[in-house]
Amino acid sequence: MKVLGLILAGGKSDALGKLVYKRASAAVPVFGKYRAIDFTLSNMVNSGIYKVGVLTQYNPRSLMDHLGSGKEWDLDRKHGGLYILQPYIGMTGEYWYRGTADAIFQNTTMLRRGDEDYVLIGSGDDIYKMLYDDLFRYHFAKSADITLLVKELDDTYDITQYGTVVTEPDGRIIEIKEKVQNPPTRKAFLGVYFINKYLLLELLYDTVPAGKYDLLLDVVIPNLSKLRVYAYEFKGYWRNVKKGINEYYKMNMEVLNSQALREELFIKYGKVYTKLKDYPPAKYTNTAKVSNSIIADGCIISGNVKNSVLFRGVVVKAGARVENSIVMQDTVIEEGAIVKNAIIDKNCVIRAEQMLVGDFEPVVLEKWMVV
C-alpha cells in the first residue's frame, strides 16, 4: 500500500501572539532543538511514508528554511520526497488558500499524478508520537471510507477549543461538533484524516467549486450519513501549539517534569528528526548550577538554570538566574539578570541586573528584543 502524506501548515494563529509574528505556527520551536512540524513529519517517515507535501501559506520563510530539501527526514529522493506546496498565481486566477479543502484542491495535480492509493492528512501544529500502521489496519478492518484520529481529552484541555465527535459502539462517527460551548463528549478530533485518494478527489470536486473550503466542516460533516466515517482512538500524549501561549508553555514544562513523557516522545516509535546545526556540545563553567532542565548544544552556562528549556546557543552568564522559562536560540542572559516564568524568542538580550518575571501567565519577548 502506498500512502501520500499531506501536512497542513499554512494557518495563522493569533493565540500565539509574538511567537508567530515572523513564523508559521508549524515552525514554532519546541523542546530545545525541534520545530512543531518535526513530530508529524517524523511520524510519517517512521510509518514508511516517503512522499510528503507540506501546504504552507502564512509566514513560510522560517518553515521552508527549516525543511530545506528534506535531507534530515530522508526525503531528498528521486522518487517521492518532500514537496513545499504554496499558493501561486496562474493564468486562470489567483487565490490564497481559502481553507483546508481548498488548499488540497489547488494541489490536486500532486494527487492525480502520483501512484499512491491513499492519503494521510495531518497538521503541522500537533505534538504527538505514533506509528500510523494500526490506524491503517483499523481503517481496512472497518471497511471505512474515512478514518479520523480522536482522543479522549482530560480536564487539562479546554474542550471548547476542539472539535468533538460522537460515535456508535463500533466506532462509527455519527456526529461532529466543531468548537461549541457545550460539547456532547470529550472525545476530540486530532486533525488527522485517512482516506482513499480517489474518494478525496471526488469529494473535493463536489465541494470546493461550490464555494465550500473547509475539509472538516464542508467535506466530512455533511457526508457523515452517506459515508462510513470511523474514529481511531489515540491513547498517547497529544498537544496542539496553536491553542495559545499557555498551551505552548505547558507542553514544554510537561516534558521537563515527566520521564515517561520524554521516553514516549523521543524514544518510542522511532526518532524525531530535525534540522541539524553545527554547534559544539553545551559548556558548563565552574559557577554553573543546572537542575531539571533541557540544555541544547551550543549553550554556555555560568549562572543558575532551573526547570527551564534552553535552545541552541543560549548564553547564561555568571550570577544570572533562569527559572521556569523557555529561552530560544542565541539569546544572551547577562550577569545578574533574573528570568522567571518567561518565553524569550531568538536572539534576545537580557541586560545585566535586569528582571523579566511573568505572573499568572508567562511574559513573552519577540525576536531580537533587548531588555
Side-chain angles (χ1 to χ4, degrees), residues 198-251:
Y198 302 100
L199 174 60
L200 176 61
L201 285 169
E202 181 181 325
L203 293 171
L204 291 175
Y205 276 105
D206 190 46
T207 55
V208 175
K212 300 175 182 179
Y213 304 127
D214 189 89
L215 189 58
L216 181 64
L217 297 178
D218 299 325
V219 176
V220 176
I221 292 178
N223 288 291
L224 284 177
S225 61
K226 304 174 187 175
L227 299 175
R228 294 173 59 83
V229 183
Y230 276 81
Y232 177 79
E233 190 161 354
F234 177 64
K235 300 291 188 180
Y237 178 87
W238 181 90
R239 292 278 182 188
N240 184 290
V241 297
K242 283 183 71 174
K243 298 306 178 184
I245 292 293
N246 287 332
E247 188 82 352
Y248 173 77
Y249 181 79
K250 181 188 296 183
M251 70 176 63

Side-chain angles (χ1 to χ4, degrees), residues 246-303:
N246 287 332
E247 188 82 352
Y248 173 77
Y249 181 79
K250 181 188 296 183
M251 70 176 63
N252 280 275
M253 295 300 110
E254 286 173 337
V255 164
L256 283 179
N257 296 321
S258 172
Q259 175 66 29
L261 178 54
R262 291 195 293 273
E263 290 182 359
E264 178 183 340
L265 287 180
F266 302 113
I267 298 176
K268 291 182 179 178
Y269 315 120
K271 294 180 180 179
V272 181
Y273 301 96
T274 191
K275 182 180 179 180
L276 300 177
K277 295 192 176 181
D278 293 328
Y279 281 93
K283 177 182 178 181
Y284 303 87
T285 71
N286 57 6
T287 59
K289 294 182 180 178
V290 178
S291 62
N292 193 40
S293 296
I294 294 174
I295 309 295
D297 43 321
C299 290
I300 301 175
I301 311 298
S302 300

Side-chain angles (χ1 to χ4, degrees), residues 55-246:
L55 296 104
T56 183
Q57 175 166 272
Y58 173 78
N59 270 345
R61 189 208 60 79
S62 180
L63 181 62
M64 293 172 65
D65 175 68
H66 177 71
L67 295 174
S69 66
K71 178 181 178 181
E72 282 82 2
W73 297 269
D74 193 22
L75 292 174
D76 54 338
R77 294 166 167 256
K78 290 183 177 180
H79 303 287
L82 181 68
Y83 297 80
I84 307 295
L85 305 174
Q86 293 182 262
Y88 55 88
I89 297 173
M91 293 296 294
T92 58
E94 51 187 87
Y95 302 103
W96 289 103
Y97 293 153
R98 294 163 289 186
T100 49
D102 184 50
I104 300 171
F105 182 76
Q106 290 194 39
N107 292 283
T108 51
T109 299
M110 185 175 183
L111 277 69
R112 292 197 305 267
R113 290 182 177 177
D115 60 354
E116 299 81 18
D117 296 316
Y118 293 90
V119 182
L120 180 73
I121 304 168
S123 169
D125 307 306
D126 296 336
I127 306 298
Y128 69 112
K129 195 75 174 297
M130 72 175 292
L131 298 178
Y132 296 114
D133 304 66
D134 288 339
L135 184 151
F136 298 158
R137 285 190 282 268
Y138 177 88
H139 178 88
F140 296 120
K142 295 293 184 179
S143 299
D145 295 310
I146 307 172
T147 298
L148 307 182
L149 190 68
V150 304
K151 178 177 172 61
E152 191 81 25
L153 299 185
D154 59 32
D155 293 337
T156 64
Y157 300 80
D158 180 0
I159 194 63
T160 63
Q161 294 188 34
Y162 301 88
T164 53
V165 304
V166 178
T167 62
E168 293 180 337
D170 70 341
R172 185 169 181 173
I173 297 174
I174 56 175
E175 185 180 25
I176 301 176
K177 293 292 186 181
E178 177 69 353
K179 299 177 183 177
V180 295
Q181 285 301 311
N182 297 297
T185 70
R186 294 195 67 87
K187 190 174 289 184
F189 170 50
L190 304 187
V192 176
Y193 310 74
F194 185 61
I195 183 172
N196 179 276
K197 180 179 73 174
Y198 302 100
L199 174 60
L200 176 61
L201 285 169
E202 181 181 325
L203 293 171
L204 291 175
Y205 276 105
D206 190 46
T207 55
V208 175
K212 300 175 182 179
Y213 304 127
D214 189 89
L215 189 58
L216 181 64
L217 297 178
D218 299 325
V219 176
V220 176
I221 292 178
N223 288 291
L224 284 177
S225 61
K226 304 174 187 175
L227 299 175
R228 294 173 59 83
V229 183
Y230 276 81
Y232 177 79
E233 190 161 354
F234 177 64
K235 300 291 188 180
Y237 178 87
W238 181 90
R239 292 278 182 188
N240 184 290
V241 297
K242 283 183 71 174
K243 298 306 178 184
I245 292 293
N246 287 332

